[in-house]
Amino acid sequence: MTDSDDVTADYRETSDERRLIFEREGRVATVAQNREGYAMLKVRRGPDSDELERYYGFDMALDHAAELLDVSVADLPVPDAAADMGM
């Protein structure tokens, strides 16, 4: 888990996905990609909630996640294991 001010980030791998889960003040934004790491990124409100949008680029997915948490992209801590997400 990685912290940056009041935003926490947790990178997890499930049997199907790579998930980068951000939390701030009770709000959650998840950036998910298939386990193989080559598909578009999905942005969700929570790890298992419905997809809100898909992106090719990690920067665009992070921008959406930051918007959901009402912070700037620079405030999102990205763990090293998640740095290569995106196409």
Side-chain angles (χ1 to χ4, degrees):
M1 186 170 304
T2 306
D3 296 325
S4 173
D5 293 325
D6 59 343
V7 179
T8 62
D10 187 24
Y11 175 78
R12 301 177 193 165
E13 292 189 9
T14 69
S15 60
D16 298 323
E17 291 185 317
R18 301 171 68 197
R19 295 178 180 174
L20 178 54
I21 304 160
F22 296 104
E23 295 185 44
R24 176 179 180 254
E25 298 176 353
R27 289 181 274 181
V28 179
T30 301
V31 176
Q33 185 175 38
N34 71 357
R35 178 110 173 146
E36 292 77 26
Y38 62 81
M40 293 178 75
L41 297 163
K42 302 170 204 163
V43 175
R44 306 180 199 145
R45 292 202 183 271
D48 295 311
S49 49
D50 291 336
E51 171 187 320
L52 298 172
E53 191 69 59
R54 284 187 184 211
Y55 299 97
Y56 285 108
F58 192 38
D59 57 339
M60 295 300 294
L62 289 177
D63 186 61
H64 191 168
E67 182 180 310
L68 291 172
L69 299 175
D70 197 28
V71 297
S72 74
V73 174
D75 294 328
L76 297 178
V78 177
D80 290 341
D84 67 342
M85 293 179 81
M87 297 186 73

